[in-house]
Amino acid sequence: MTSTGIRLHAPAPGWSISADVVVVGSGVAGLTAALRCEAAGLTTVVVTKARLDDGSTRWAQGGIAAALGEGDTPEQHLEDTLVAGAGLCDEEAVRILVTEGPDAVRRLISTGAHFDTDDEGGIQLTREGGHHRRRIAHAGGDATGAEISRALVEAVRARGLRTVENALVLDLLTDAEGRTAGVTLHVMGEGQHDGVGAVHAPAVVLATGGMGQVFSATTNPSVSTGDGVALALRAGAEISDLEFVQFHPTVLFLGPDAEGQQPLVSEAVRGEGAHLVDGDGVRFMVGQHELAELAPRDIVAKGITRRMLEQGAEHMFLDARHFGAEMWEHRFPTILAACRANGIDPVTEPVPVAPAAHYASGGVRTDARGRTTVPGLYACGEVACTGVHGANRLASNSLLEGLVYAERIAADIAGAQGRGGLPAREPARLAHPETPEHPLLAPESRFAIQRIMSRGAGVLRSARSLQQAADQLDALHGEARDALRENGKTAEPGVDTWEATNLLCVARVLVAAALRREETRGCHWREDRAERDDTDWRRHIVVRLGPDRSLAVHTTDTADFPPTRPHQRSQEQ
């Protein structure tokens, strides 16, 4: 697998450092991978776009799913995950998750994470959508991600790992044979490093999180601009199942024109007994699924959207007034504060909610060891597509996936290093022409992309809306390309233009995959193809970027998750 040769237009690196491993991202996946690599004796550098404790992990409210409770088993967790994934999960990847998950959570606790406990000192467990048992461990009521982030950041600092904060990763460095040789990055502001530099390393772990900022309204923080997926595409990696973007059903509705990160109302609120109701107080999810409000997220998001369309409403309501003030204050303090900050008191009134972009179930295609189709490049967490989530992520499986597959990546890198398989590599010489072939988008293009995607590729999609989105995205790219060709001009390199360019890249892939999948499955809802079609579409869509920036889209022959290495299945069995 060779690089496309496409790189973001940027100044040549003015500084460099070297390591055995560079981990890009500081959420649960990135920091777990870094800690395990360091423990294996590998020189490890962590690069993160903001501060170590920023990113999506700290915003996770509900918790982490694992078969920790009495009577629960990994097999039951596996079954719930497969059902939620709507026929596209890789069963072996899920089995790895649910069997290795409980011990991974225990190791997280030994690292310093404190989960809420009951009167006997056992871990308190709750339920969320799609789970038939209480298996969600939580911390601080509804502040699980913040507690996990705190524990991992403290461990990283205690062990003295080298970190580069406020750094936007740009592109993958490769050697003459196309193997990974590090990354280029831009450090924002003053510090030990500044401007564009490079980290030379024979192993790169992408743990850059999601791409929710490709839509106008999202639960993702502002840094979630799809940088890891865009980097992987330019490096020649394959992207799988990117059409499956999960819209969280219950996001605090702040008005029809609200943009950017929106406050999440955790699924755990429904897990504790809150009801979804319409403006007349009718529980509209009853009868639509055996679990009613606790159905898998795609079903609840569709139920809310249908009811909104039927009634011409902009939102529905989540009614948890029966909790009382004490339960709200102790079990959901973060959500209570967010609601009250926006003029809503859930103790005395229903909370207005509507779906918003939340989680990318697809991403950079990996195998069971986190290896991508580019030698030396790994991916874990939301940026990756391990096969665990299929067409729709089961609630609270994401933190667990980050833990389990980060540990597997560290073990693979350490094993390769021990066998002499990851020698230090010199990156091939980079050219930095004055007139780059790859144009950058103006910063304001970010908002245009978000509106195009929200209109054409949101919760409700159709061939018409997706084709309109594809045409409008192509027009944005064409304008930048034509300006470059006609007068040699492109937007000035900088964080805003790099992010906008990355967003356009991932938006084009998402829309291309959604157009190709002519059915409704999981969190991909086609109005014009309302039925699930297992005969023709129980398979995966894989996308690669060509050297001419065209997208090569193909559909796998079966539902099996394709290997990332030739003959990999037979070698690993």
Side-chain angles (χ1 to χ4, degrees), residues 520-550:
T520 287
R521 181 184 298 271
C523 50
H524 172 68
W525 188 9
R526 286 277 298 258
E527 290 180 283
D528 56 331
R529 302 280 191 226
E531 301 301 320
R532 171 171 156 175
D533 179 0
D534 282 347
T535 301
D536 293 328
W537 289 107
R538 189 167 174 256
R539 55 199 68 196
H540 303 276
I541 294 176
V542 179
V543 183
R544 288 187 58 207
L545 183 66
D548 62 352
R549 299 188 300 282
S550 64

Side-chain angles (χ1 to χ4, degrees), residues 59-398:
W59 297 99
Q61 294 174 346
I64 184 167
L68 298 165
E70 185 177 351
D72 197 5
T73 65
E75 199 66 29
Q76 294 176 68
H77 189 183
L78 179 141
E79 181 60 27
D80 285 345
T81 300
L82 295 180
V83 170
L88 280 186
C89 295
D90 182 284
E91 186 167 340
E92 182 56 31
V94 179
R95 195 170 296 280
I96 288 168
L97 178 84
V98 300
T99 55
E100 298 182 11
D103 283 342
V105 173
R106 295 183 185 103
R107 284 188 289 273
L108 178 63
I109 293 170
S110 70
T111 301
H114 301 293
F115 289 94
D116 296 338
T117 56
D118 57 28
D119 294 338
E120 287 76 42
I123 296 176
Q124 263 187 359
L125 300 172
T126 189
R127 277 183 68 194
E128 291 187 0
H131 293 273
H132 282 79
R133 284 191 174 271
R134 285 183 171 263
R135 65 167 65 98
I136 316 300
H138 50 84
D142 58 359
T144 309
E147 170 56 20
I148 290 173
S149 180
R150 179 205 62 77
L152 292 173
V153 168
E154 286 188 5
V156 164
R157 288 175 174 156
R159 296 187 191 180
L161 267 71
R162 188 167 190 173
T163 61
V164 183
E165 296 181 282
N166 300 306
L168 171 64
V169 67
L170 299 176
D171 281 300
L172 190 73
L173 294 171
T174 54
D175 66 12
E177 284 76 46
R179 284 192 55 92
T180 294
V183 293
T184 56
L185 63 157
H186 172 79
V187 180
M188 299 167 269
E190 297 179 0
Q192 183 178 0
H193 303 291
D194 199 6
V196 175
V199 181
H200 296 161
V204 171
V205 181
L206 292 179
T208 52
M211 55 182 195
Q213 290 291 327
V214 79
F215 294 96
S216 294
T218 178
T219 63
N220 289 191
S222 61
V223 294
S224 298
T225 52
D227 307 318
V229 170
L231 175 149
L233 280 161
R234 291 191 294 271
E238 292 185 350
I239 308 302
S240 185
D241 300 345
L242 209 63
E243 68 273 27
F244 296 118
V245 175
Q246 189 176 80
F247 286 75
H248 197 288
T250 53
V251 175
L252 187 62
F253 181 75
L254 300 180
D257 298 322
E259 293 184 334
Q261 187 178 10
Q262 312 289 303
L264 178 66
V265 181
S266 170
E267 199 156 296
V269 178
R270 281 174 281 137
E272 296 292 350
H275 301 145
L276 279 167
V277 299
D278 61 20
D280 297 323
V282 176
R283 286 183 63 189
F284 56 87
M285 286 303 300
V286 175
Q288 292 198 36
H289 190 275
E290 60 170 333
L291 295 176
E293 284 93 351
L294 286 176
R297 286 179 175 173
D298 65 305
I299 293 172
V300 180
K302 291 171 189 174
I304 292 173
T305 304
R306 283 194 188 103
R307 197 67 158 194
M308 287 163 55
L309 290 172
E310 289 169 3
Q311 299 188 343
E314 294 178 325
H315 60 81
M316 291 287 108
F317 293 94
L318 191 64
D319 192 352
R321 289 174 289 181
H322 55 285
F323 284 5
E326 184 176 355
M327 182 173 176
W328 267 111
E329 290 165 1
H330 288 89
R331 180 67 178 86
F332 300 111
T334 306
I335 299 169
L336 178 63
C339 289
R340 285 178 169 169
N342 287 282
I344 300 153
D345 188 351
V347 177
T348 60
E349 60 185 317
V351 178
V353 293
H358 183 58
Y359 190 89
S361 292
V364 185
R365 190 162 71 79
T366 75
D367 63 10
R369 302 178 191 177
R371 300 178 298 185
T372 74
T373 51
V374 176
L377 179 65
Y378 295 78
C380 57
E382 190 172 355
V383 70
C385 185
T386 62
V388 160
H389 303 308
N392 183 48
R393 175 179 66 98
L394 181 65
S396 288
N397 267 357
S398 52

Side-chain angles (χ1 to χ4, degrees), residues 346-509:
V347 177
T348 60
E349 60 185 317
V351 178
V353 293
H358 183 58
Y359 190 89
S361 292
V364 185
R365 190 162 71 79
T366 75
D367 63 10
R369 302 178 191 177
R371 300 178 298 185
T372 74
T373 51
V374 176
L377 179 65
Y378 295 78
C380 57
E382 190 172 355
V383 70
C385 185
T386 62
V388 160
H389 303 308
N392 183 48
R393 175 179 66 98
L394 181 65
S396 288
N397 267 357
S398 52
L399 291 175
L400 190 71
E401 183 198 31
L403 275 181
V404 168
Y405 282 87
E407 291 186 343
R408 292 189 134 246
I409 285 173
D412 192 74
I413 295 173
Q417 189 85 340
R419 298 188 300 270
L422 286 175
R425 297 178 181 274
E426 282 297 316
R429 183 176 177 274
L430 291 179
H432 291 277
E434 292 182 4
T435 305
E437 180 188 359
H438 191 44
L440 298 178
L441 269 68
E444 57 269 22
S445 298
R446 174 177 183 143
F447 305 105
I449 293 166
Q450 291 171 335
R451 288 167 188 144
I452 290 168
M453 293 297 289
S454 293
R455 285 195 304 266
V459 178
L460 295 176
R461 304 168 178 177
S462 67
R464 180 180 179 184
S465 74
L466 289 165
Q467 189 58 60
Q468 287 176 339
D471 293 343
Q472 290 167 341
L473 294 172
D474 286 346
L476 281 177
H477 177 73
E479 289 171 8
R481 180 198 60 215
D482 293 344
L484 180 64
R485 286 177 177 173
E486 292 170 8
N487 53 33
K489 290 185 178 181
T490 187
E492 285 295 317
V495 173
D496 290 344
T497 57
W498 289 322
E499 285 185 336
T501 304
N502 284 340
L503 284 171
L504 179 63
C505 183
V506 297
R508 290 178 66 212
V509 175

